[in-house]
Amino acid sequence: MTQTKEQKKKVLITIIVLLSIFLPLSICSLTLHILDEKNPRHKIIENPSHEFKFNNKLYFYSSSGTLLGTYECQNSDGICDYASNFDDDKLYAVDYYQSDDAKIGMINNRYSFLIDAKDTTSAKPFLYDFINNRIYTTYYSVKNYGIGIENDLFIVGNDNLKYGVLSLQGEPQVKVKFDYDYIGIANLLNEDENKIMSDLFIGYRDKFWFLLDMNGAVLTSAIRNEIVNYNGKHIIVKENMGYNVVDYEDNPVLANGPYKKLSFTGKYLNILDQDDNFYVYDIASESVITNSQKVKSTDQITSKLNEKGALEVILNEKVIETVEIS
């Protein structure tokens, strides 16, 4: 059927109306699509499984899975990883915390000690701020015993093999200057934080031993023998034939030494003499406060303070004596 002139006019008007509606919509939709494709949220996730190392880059995620920062590895065929705890304590007599967790992970969701080198012989730890993508100092070694030290402290060594203490609470700050040939901490844990107590550090220099506080102040005279452990008043030292106790001025505290083994339970001293007799000694009152126990070389014996403040002697994980402390 042939359309009339009036019908053709109506069709033309309809086409124009439809174009005026849908053409702008199409243009708008295309524009939004292009802009949406440029939105970073719609980029392909480059590390979908949140691996620590992926495509020659290190990724730092919070506990909730938020990406905090990255590090671009410089040695694609070498080693790029967290730095490991430096275990030089085994060279000395100190009773230190031994951990199987060697690598030092993220610190305060901001820092990490990394290594990025061609091989292990050239690998040195450096401090990296992954929030601000900033590399700080490179060290010879770093140590926190795998479990961590209170107040985010780290024992670090420089290329001159001198050791100091670094704080990573806020901006990096050297708390103990690099004046020592060795720095360590005895195995004393803050059980609430599950970290090593930072009250006292052992320092060695010029063939003498010292106790330092966390700010580097020297608290003792020069101690002649290696420091094994300590409390607020006394120090266990290693001598040629065994162990003994001195005060902070390096004056002997016990007679009849040296002893086969010594350790502290608070202010009390666990003693294993050369004849394999175990007992607990109160230095303040200069008196033995438990029965003497003859032990074998295979026995494990110690003491601890229970929740009521009483002293318990424990032999092979069994309490064999309880002493009420007045």
Side-chain angles (χ1 to χ4, degrees), residues 8 29 43 55 57 74 78 107-108 156 158 196 209 211 216-217 220 224 230 233 243 262 265 268 282 291 305:
K8 289 181 180 180
S29 177
K43 289 183 178 180
N55 282 349
K57 185 185 287 189
Q74 302 302 305
I107 306 154
N108 283 336
V156 289
N158 64 22
I196 297 174
W209 298 82
L211 286 184
T220 64
R224 292 164 294 171
Y230 43 77
K233 293 184 177 180
Y243 300 88
L262 297 172
T265 296
Y268 305 107
D282 184 348
N291 295 320
L305 295 169

Side-chain angles (χ1 to χ4, degrees), residues 97-317:
Y97 182 89
Q98 300 181 45
S99 172
D100 294 329
D101 188 8
K103 291 183 180 179
I104 301 173
M106 291 195 305
I107 306 154
N108 283 336
N109 279 343
R110 177 177 175 183
Y111 299 109
S112 64
F113 288 97
L114 302 177
I115 53 174
D116 186 359
K118 294 180 180 180
D119 50 47
T120 55
T121 58
S122 60
K124 292 183 179 181
F126 58 89
L127 179 61
Y128 179 61
D129 179 345
F130 50 78
I131 295 295
N132 298 302
N133 191 28
R134 177 181 177 185
I135 294 176
Y136 286 87
T137 309
T138 296
Y139 297 98
Y140 172 77
S141 65
V142 58
K143 178 170 66 176
N144 76 338
Y145 295 93
I147 193 173
I149 304 170
E150 287 178 330
N151 301 302
D152 298 310
L153 297 179
F154 295 82
I155 299 169
V156 289
N158 64 22
D159 284 340
N160 295 322
L161 300 185
K162 295 293 184 179
Y163 297 87
V165 176
L166 180 70
S167 169
L168 291 181
Q169 284 190 335
E171 293 298 316
Q173 181 183 5
V174 174
K175 305 290 283 187
V176 178
K177 295 180 180 179
F178 293 84
D179 291 336
Y180 294 89
D181 301 313
Y182 164 80
I183 294 179
I185 308 181
N187 183 13
L188 300 171
L189 293 184
N190 177 335
E191 295 183 359
D192 292 334
E193 294 186 20
N194 197 33
K195 290 186 176 182
I196 297 174
M197 293 182 183
S198 62
D199 300 17
L200 298 172
F201 289 80
I202 300 170
Y204 175 67
R205 69 181 179 193
D206 302 325
K207 299 182 179 181
F208 288 99
W209 298 82
F210 305 87
L211 286 184
L212 324 168
D213 70 14
M214 61 178 291
N215 293 307
V218 178
L219 305 178
T220 64
S221 297
I223 308 297
R224 292 164 294 171
N225 294 304
E226 283 193 58
I227 294 177
V228 178
N229 212 321
Y230 43 77
N231 62 15
K233 293 184 177 180
H234 300 99
I235 302 168
I236 297 172
V237 295
K238 186 180 185 303
E239 298 180 350
N240 291 333
M241 301 301 292
Y243 300 88
N244 223 322
V245 178
V246 298
D247 62 20
Y248 276 28
E249 301 301 318
D250 202 27
N251 300 310
V253 172
L254 295 178
N256 305 319
Y259 296 87
K260 184 174 285 189
K261 189 175 181 180
L262 297 172
S263 63
F264 288 116
T265 296
K267 65 179 183 177
Y268 305 107
L269 188 65
N270 303 311
I271 296 178
L272 181 65
D273 66 21
Q274 299 291 353
D275 297 319
D276 292 322
N277 298 302
F278 177 89
Y279 51 93
V280 180
Y281 184 77
D282 184 348
I283 298 176
S285 64
E286 299 183 347
S287 62
V288 176
I289 60 174
T290 66
N291 295 320
S292 179
Q293 304 287 338
K294 190 76 171 182
V295 298
K296 303 173 185 177
S297 60
T298 55
D299 287 334
Q300 305 230 346
I301 190 164
T302 188
S303 71
K304 75 171 187 177
L305 295 169
N306 64 22
E307 295 178 354
K308 296 181 180 179
L311 184 80
E312 297 178 342
V313 177
I314 303 169
L315 174 63
N316 297 327
E317 301 183 355

Side-chain angles (χ1 to χ4, degrees), residues 6-20:
E6 187 66 27
Q7 288 174 326
K8 289 181 180 180
K9 184 177 180 182
K10 289 181 179 180
V11 170
L12 181 59
I13 292 173
T14 301
I15 291 173
I16 292 172
V17 170
L18 290 174
L19 285 173
S20 66

